[in-house]
């Protein structure tokens, strides 16, 4: 690991000002950052430890939802009584990620900002446009089993690895960000991440020095069916090949609410409005589900090793929709 | 170099470390507590599991300087060779280890896991998120999935944990 200066922030203002320098980074749980620093994929000159900031609580917000502090541990969030009861999809997604030990350290803010698990991004001897802009992408012609089938560009086909973010997106979460000048801004999670296009090194809307202080969830969709289905190479402790987060509601035999979000298939948590609209107000049927899955995957393309993700995503979505239909009218 | 205080297995220690030192390396190299093992050094094997303020974590993916004032329990703190903890005894009784490299992390992990169940924390395999989780083998396997073992001592580990869990409840 390269050497760096270590600073411990005690106030949010201090944290954002310390991190405004060009080679400064925040450290929260450290479970992704230190992994990457050991491999020298990341070489910050200054690490700003934010663990002593007062961002560890889950509180009710003005909209009847919840404000989740950026330092709430993934395990604590998954076990929170309100989350388990009203936002089950989030609890399930968190519990499907990493291991209990990692979840005890991993934080809400850090999880959103974890980097891709593309093997070439991790290997400093390989070309990678995300790690070293302009150097090329080794995954295009290489091993790309984990890689994206939608939303990628010829510059980068990496996926975003977070399970939590997929669930937060289906719940219509908003990211609360403190700017170095002390102002707060709120960005819907759905607009928070960027697609790679020609600049895969830019992954999200954060500007230098900006700190995620919380994630807001709106009031829960009452009496909804919520599920997180994660398909992976091992039964546990593995990243998603494909995952589907769903929040649905059926009234009088028709979908009265449809929220779907997908992990493992795109450079960011994936959402397709056309698919949701296609299902809304319709009666569940196998034919409808087929049609929805085909719409989702209309522009999908594999890169060799990951071709299998196209039929896998289709089958996983249909399975989740069938479960939702089986759960039926929830009164 | 940075100085920090750690309470390890009930004893205060003042350390002076390079800021790059992980908590794992501080325990092994500065405090000579070699029970905690370094397997992968990247959060993938669980050999370095310790209890940090009562919660299990991988000590390889955190810096010692981030833990000034924290309370740490390692395998040495759970029991000694003449007074093994219940979990340590159960691992011996059920032959839940072979190479011994992964065992300290597994025992720390298993010890903390029983508290998580007691607190009602669900897991990925819990059928209901709101009911109290049961201590069945499926739950034990899922909850121990962060601790790998190549010699396949798994059934014996599950039996050891089930026995201690049943005694506790
Ligand atoms: C073996 C292994 C398996 C894993 N499996 C999964 C999995 O299946 N699913 C999954 O989703 N994840 C998985 N993970 C990833 C894990 O969830 C992340 O490492 C973790 O959530 C990151 O959180 P952290 O607090 O440790 O972040 P850190 O490592 O501290 O930080 C990550 C990044 O976020 C930045 N940052 C942190 N907090 C803030 C903030 N408040 N504001 C602005 N920037 C911030 C840091 O500067 C850094 O760039 C796995 C990790 C490992 C090691
Ligand atoms: S897919 Fe993206 S992260 Fe992976 S090698 Fe190509 S540019 Fe790098
Ligand atoms: S040494 Fe820490 S998890 Fe492998
Ligand atoms: S105890 Fe080490 S491999 Fe099984």
């Amino acid at each position: 690991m390269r050497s760096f200066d270590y600073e411990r922030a005690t106030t949010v203002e201090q944290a954002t000002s310390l991190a405004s320098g060009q080679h400064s980074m925040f450290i929260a749980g450290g479970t992704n950052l230190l992994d990457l620093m050991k491999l020298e994929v990341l070489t910050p000159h200054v690490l700003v430890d934010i663990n002593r900031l007062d961002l560890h609580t889950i509180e009710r917000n003005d909209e009847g939802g919840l404000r989740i502090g950026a330092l709430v541990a993934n395990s604590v969030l998954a076990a929170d009584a309100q989350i388990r009861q009203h936002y089950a999809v989030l609890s399930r997604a968190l519990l499907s990620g990493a291991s209990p030990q990692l979840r005890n350290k991993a934080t809400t803010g850090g999880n959103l900002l974890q980097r891709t698990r593309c093997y070439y991004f991790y290997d400093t001897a390989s070309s990678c446009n995300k790690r070293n802009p302009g150097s090329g992408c080794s995954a295009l012609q290489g091993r790309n089993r984990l890689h994206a089938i939608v939303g990628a560009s010829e510059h980068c086909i990496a996926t975003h690895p977070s399970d939590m973010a997929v669930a937060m997106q289906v719940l219509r979460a908003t990211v609360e960000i403190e700017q170095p000048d002390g102002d707060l801004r709120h960005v819907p999670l759905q607009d928070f991440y960027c697609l790679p296009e020609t600049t895969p090194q830019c992954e999200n809307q954060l500007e230098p020095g900006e700190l995620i202080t919380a994630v807001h969830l709106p009031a829960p969709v009452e009496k909804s069916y919520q599920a997180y289905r994660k398909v992976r190479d091992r039964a546990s402790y593995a990243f998603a090949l494909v995952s589907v987060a769903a929040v649905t509601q059926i009234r009088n035999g028709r979908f009265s609410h449809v929220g779907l979000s997908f992990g493992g298939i795109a450079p960011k948590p994936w959402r397709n409005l056309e698919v949701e609209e296609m299902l809304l107000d319709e009666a569940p049927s196998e034919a409808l589900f087929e049609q929805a899955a085909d719409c989702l995957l209309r522009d999908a393309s594999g890169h060799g090793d990951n071709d299998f993700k196209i039929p896998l995503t289709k089958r996983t979505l249909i399975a989740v929709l069938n479960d939702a239909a089986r759960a039926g009218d929830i009164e | 170099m940075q100085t920090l205080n750690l309470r390890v297995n009930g004893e205060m220690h003042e350390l002076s470390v390079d800021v790059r030192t992980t908590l794992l390396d501080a325990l092994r190299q500065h405090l000579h507590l070699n029970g905690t093992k370094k397997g992968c050094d990247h959060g993938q094997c669980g050999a370095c599991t310790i209890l940090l303020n009562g919660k299990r974590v991988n000590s390889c993916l955190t810096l010692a300087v981030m833990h000034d004032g924290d309370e740490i329990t390692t395998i040495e703190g759970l029991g000694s060779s003449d007074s093994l903890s219940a979990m340590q005894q159960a691992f011996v009784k059920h032959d839940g280890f072979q190479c011994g490299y992964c065992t300290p992390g597994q025992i720390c992990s298993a010890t903390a896991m029983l508290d998580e169940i007691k607190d009602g924390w669900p897991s990925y395999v819990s059928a209901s998120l709101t009911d109290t989780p049961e201590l069945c083998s499926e739950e034990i396997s899922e909850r121990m999935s962060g601790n790998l073992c190549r010699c396949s001592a798994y059934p014996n580990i599950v039996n050891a944990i089930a026995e201690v869990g049943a005694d506790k409840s």
Side-chain angles (χ1 to χ4, degrees), chain A residues 237, chain B residues 24 37-49 58-61 146:
Chain A
Y237 204 9
Chain B
L24 172 62
K37 298 293 187 278
K38 184 187 283 192
C40 64
D41 210 18
H42 286 279
Q44 296 172 1
C45 72
C48 65
T49 304
N58 305 94
S59 58
C60 68
L61 286 188

Side-chain angles (χ1 to χ4, degrees), chain A residues 24-36 42 47-48 50-51 53 55 69-74 93-94 96-99 102-103 105-115 117 122 160-165 176-177 192 204 206 209-214 228 230 232 234 236-240, chain B residues 40 42-45 58 61 66:
Chain A
S24 305
M25 290 185 84
F26 296 118
I27 185 163
T31 59
N32 189 223
L33 184 51
L34 288 170
D35 197 3
L36 291 165
L42 295 176
L47 266 197
V48 182
I50 57 173
N51 285 285
L53 302 183
L55 303 171
L71 291 169
V72 172
N74 286 178
L94 285 160
S96 79
S99 67
L102 288 159
R103 294 196 293 270
K105 273 250 126 210
T107 64
T108 302
N111 189 289
L112 289 179
L113 296 177
Q114 62 175 299
R115 308 299 300 273
R117 291 278 158 171
Y122 263 73
H160 194 271
S162 169
D163 292 296
M164 182 191 81
E176 179 189 296
I177 299 163
F192 180 70
N204 56 55
L206 282 187
E210 283 190 330
L211 177 77
I212 295 179
T213 40
Y228 189 75
K230 178 170 173 178
R232 45 185 156 176
R234 292 191 301 233
S236 189
Y237 204 9
F239 286 91
Chain B
C40 64
H42 286 279
Q44 296 172 1
C45 72
N58 305 94
L61 286 188
M66 291 161 69

Side-chain angles (χ1 to χ4, degrees), chain A residues 1-2 4 6 8 28 31 34-35 38 49 52 84 92 95-96 99-102 104-105 232 236-237, chain B residues 19-20 41-44 49 56 58 60-62 65-68 109 120 124 126-127 129 142 145 147:
Chain A
M1 207 188 296
R2 300 280 179 86
F4 53 85
Y6 171 83
R8 186 185 294 140
T31 59
L34 288 170
D35 197 3
K38 286 180 181 187
D49 181 352
R52 308 281 162 113
R84 278 152 72 179
R92 290 282 181 204
L95 293 170
S96 79
S99 67
Q101 289 97 313
L102 288 159
N104 274 336
K105 273 250 126 210
R232 45 185 156 176
S236 189
Y237 204 9
Chain B
V19 287
R20 289 172 289 186
D41 210 18
H42 286 279
Q44 296 172 1
T49 304
R56 50 175 165 163
N58 305 94
C60 68
L61 286 188
T62 192
V65 286
M66 291 161 69
H67 297 290
D68 190 19
S109 198
Y124 186 63
S126 305
L129 283 178
E142 167 61 23
S145 63
N147 293 81

Side-chain angles (χ1 to χ4, degrees), chain A residues 60-302:
Chain A
R60 292 208 145 246
N61 64 14
D62 302 338
E63 304 99 71
L66 294 177
R67 177 183 185 274
I68 303 160
L71 291 169
V72 172
N74 286 178
S75 56
V76 171
L77 186 56
D80 181 80
Q82 307 248 33
I83 300 289
R84 278 152 72 179
Q85 207 175 346
H86 300 294
Y87 306 93
V89 61
L90 178 55
S91 207
R92 290 282 181 204
L94 285 160
L95 293 170
S96 79
S99 67
Q101 289 97 313
L102 288 159
R103 294 196 293 270
N104 274 336
K105 273 250 126 210
T107 64
T108 302
N111 189 289
L112 289 179
L113 296 177
Q114 62 175 299
R115 308 299 300 273
T116 182
R117 291 278 158 171
C118 169
Y119 332 103
Y120 305 102
F121 176 74
Y122 263 73
D123 172 14
T124 52
S126 300
S127 320
C128 167
N129 288 324
K130 195 186 266 307
R131 179 170 32 72
N132 186 8
S135 65
C137 169
S138 306
L140 276 176
Q141 309 298 327
R143 290 176 178 259
N144 47 43
R145 180 174 170 77
L146 288 179
H147 292 68
I149 52 170
V150 285
S153 74
E154 79 250 38
H155 299 277
C156 178
I157 56 169
T159 51
H160 194 271
S162 169
D163 292 296
M164 182 191 81
V166 177
M168 284 183 166
Q169 175 166 284
V170 87
L171 292 169
R172 310 286 174 255
T174 304
V175 186
E176 179 189 296
I177 299 163
E178 174 114 358
Q179 299 169 288
D181 63 10
D183 285 349
L184 275 189
R185 63 187 186 110
H186 292 84
V187 181
L189 186 67
Q190 203 183 307
D191 307 326
F192 180 70
Y193 296 107
C194 313
L195 287 179
E197 297 173 353
T198 55
T199 52
Q201 70 278 15
C202 304
E203 297 183 342
N204 56 55
Q205 306 284 353
L206 282 187
E207 300 289 338
E210 283 190 330
L211 177 77
I212 295 179
T213 40
V215 173
H216 288 263
L217 299 181
V221 182
E222 292 301 347
K223 299 187 176 150
S224 54
Y225 170 79
Q226 301 194 10
Y228 189 75
R229 184 139 178 179
K230 178 170 173 178
V231 185
R232 45 185 156 176
D233 284 327
R234 292 191 301 233
S236 189
Y237 204 9
F239 286 91
L241 293 168
V242 169
S243 70
V244 179
V247 177
T248 62
Q249 199 182 49
I250 297 176
R251 285 246 167 89
N252 306 319
R254 291 174 184 274
F255 281 112
S256 52
H257 179 95
V258 181
L260 292 169
S261 186
F262 302 85
I265 63 168
K268 62 178 192 174
W270 195 247
R271 186 182 178 198
N272 185 315
L273 275 176
E274 206 183 326
V275 172
E276 292 178 11
E277 278 160 18
M278 187 177 272
L279 293 162
L280 193 67
D281 298 327
E282 297 294 326
S285 74
E286 194 71 27
L288 177 68
F289 297 166
E290 283 268 340
Q291 203 190 337
D294 288 339
C295 171
L296 173 75
L297 296 161
R298 197 166 45 214
D299 301 319
S301 62

Side-chain angles (χ1 to χ4, degrees), chain B residues 96-103 106 148-154 157:
Chain B
F97 53 88
Q98 289 186 19
C99 78
Y101 211 79
C102 342
T103 306
Q106 283 165 350
L148 305 191
C149 152
R150 296 176 159 220
C151 69
S152 73
Y154 294 117
I157 295 170

